[in-house]
């Protein structure tokens, strides 16, 4: 015996796994293509699961009381990610820019103007903060599975690392900022800036994530079913049900569109 929800979810998981395996195999061909002069310019072969229709016959063997299931609440998750992104972007900027300025010589050259702009021009500062927030939000969306715990709370250390990766890539290694730093300070200062940003974000995350939960309780009907031909054949006439399921993986938006 099995539950119908378990059977369907297993099929959907197998579809995702099949797509994943196909993607990995395509990537393994990259080195083979690049090492062969005749294949070097060829595009990697790729397969995308298209629309498919499933037909499942089943018979109900038992009916159970409603089950309590906890699932991710998408609107709540989007609000949480948006809030975290905005706060962390501001923390990165507010702490990195003074650290950049402190590292410069007392009489730094005029090419340090980008840092002055980020420090004093509120319009440009707010614009760059929005840019960082967008980067953080996109990075977090790709890592939902790793930042959400089973109980619906947020994994703080993983979240911190994702934010720091964005801070390093989009702020510390931003083209204009990087040029100023490379001309005026040693590379050793990078670690000091990273430490400053990490400390600021880490000190605020505990408060930011306190009592935050992105799961909601759902009451779901539960029935035991049989799906094998032998079991279905033993059931009375008219008691076999048919479920037709159409799946279009390419039409599913994993993330909500940006506002």
């Amino acid at each position: 015996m099995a539950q119908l929800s378990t059977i369907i979810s297993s099929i959907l998981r197998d579809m995702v796994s099949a797509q994943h395996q196909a993607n990995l195999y395509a990537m393994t061909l990259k080195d083979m293509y690049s090492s062969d002069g005749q294949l070097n310019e060829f595009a990697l072969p790729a397969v995308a699961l298209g629309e498919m229709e499933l037909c499942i016959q089943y018979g109900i063997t038992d009916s159970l009381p409603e089950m309590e299931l906890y699932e991710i609440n998408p609107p709540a998750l989007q609000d949480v990610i948006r809030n975290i992104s905005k706060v962390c972007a501001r923390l990165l900027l507010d702490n990195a820019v003074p650290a950049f300025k402190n590292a410069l010589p007392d009489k730094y050259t005029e090419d340090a103007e980008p840092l002055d702009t980020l420090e004093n021009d509120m319009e440009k500062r707010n614009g760059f903060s929005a840019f960082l927030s967008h980067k953080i939000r996109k990075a977090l969306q790709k890592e939902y599975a790793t930042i959400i715990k089973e109980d619906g709370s947020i994994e703080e250390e993983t979240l911190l690392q994702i934010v720091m990766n964005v801070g390093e890539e989009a702020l510390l290694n931003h083209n204009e900022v990087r040029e100023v730093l490379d001309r005026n300070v040693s590379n050793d200062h990078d670690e000091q800036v990273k430490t400053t940003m990490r400390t600021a974000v880490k000190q605020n995350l505990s408060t930011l994530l306190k009592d935050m939960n992105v799961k909601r309780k759902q009451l779901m009907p539960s029935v035991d079913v049989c799906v094998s031909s032998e079991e279905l054949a033993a059931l009375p006439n008219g008691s076999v049900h048919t479920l037709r399921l159409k799946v279009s993986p390419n039409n599913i938006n994993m993330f909500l569109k940006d506002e």
Side-chain angles (χ1 to χ4, degrees), residues 64-249:
L64 304 175
E66 288 185 329
M67 296 176 57
E68 288 187 359
L69 297 179
Y70 290 84
E71 62 181 11
I72 292 176
N73 184 349
L77 178 58
Q78 289 295 323
D79 288 342
V80 165
I81 295 301
R82 189 178 293 109
N83 184 44
I84 289 174
S85 300
K86 287 181 179 179
V87 172
C88 289
R90 181 62 66 181
L91 288 170
L92 290 175
L93 197 56
D94 287 349
N95 289 273
V97 173
F100 293 152
K101 296 293 292 292
N102 290 336
L104 297 175
D106 293 337
K107 295 182 179 180
Y108 59 88
T109 59
E110 293 182 358
D111 62 8
E113 181 181 353
L115 298 182
D116 291 331
T117 300
L118 285 178
E119 185 175 44
N120 303 314
D121 188 327
M122 292 307 298
E123 182 177 353
K124 294 288 181 62
R125 187 182 181 88
N126 290 336
F128 197 85
S129 180
F131 163 76
L132 282 178
S133 177
H134 176 78
K135 287 280 191 180
I136 294 172
R137 187 165 70 251
K138 286 297 183 182
L140 293 178
Q141 286 176 338
K142 294 178 181 179
E143 299 294 339
Y144 280 164
T146 61
I147 64 174
I148 301 176
K149 298 180 182 179
E150 290 186 4
D151 61 0
S153 59
I154 305 297
E155 173 56 55
E156 186 174 327
E157 285 300 320
T158 305
L159 174 62
L160 174 61
Q161 188 57 52
I162 294 172
V163 172
M164 285 302 302
N165 290 342
V166 174
E168 182 175 348
E169 175 190 353
L171 182 53
L172 181 59
N173 290 324
H174 186 277
N175 289 341
E176 294 184 16
V177 174
R178 189 74 261 165
E179 288 177 4
V180 174
L181 296 177
D182 288 344
R183 281 195 290 264
N184 292 278
V185 299
S186 66
N187 291 334
D188 294 340
H189 182 66
D190 285 6
E191 293 303 320
Q192 299 177 27
V193 174
K194 292 178 188 178
T195 300
T196 299
M197 292 192 297
R198 174 179 287 274
T199 300
V201 174
K202 186 176 180 62
Q203 287 177 344
N204 286 271
L205 276 185
S206 296
T207 301
L208 185 62
L209 300 179
K210 185 180 180 181
D211 299 328
M212 187 175 287
N213 196 287
V214 296
K215 285 194 174 181
R216 62 187 174 191
K217 182 173 71 174
Q218 291 279 73
L219 294 177
M220 302 293 292
S222 177
V223 292
D224 283 340
V225 298
C226 61
V227 293
S228 70
S229 57
E230 293 83 0
E231 291 175 310
L232 292 177
L235 294 178
N237 292 334
S239 61
V240 177
H241 306 273
T242 300
L243 174 66
R244 289 181 173 83
L245 184 66
K246 181 180 287 187
V247 183
S248 302

Side-chain angles (χ1 to χ4, degrees), residues 1-14 54 56-59 223-228 231 243 245:
M1 301 299 173
Q3 290 196 328
L4 187 59
S5 60
T6 303
I7 296 172
I8 296 174
S9 63
S10 177
I11 293 173
L12 296 178
R13 283 196 302 272
D14 285 345
L54 306 174
I56 303 174
Q57 288 190 315
Y58 66 94
V223 292
D224 283 340
V225 298
C226 61
V227 293
S228 70
E231 291 175 310
L243 174 66
L245 184 66

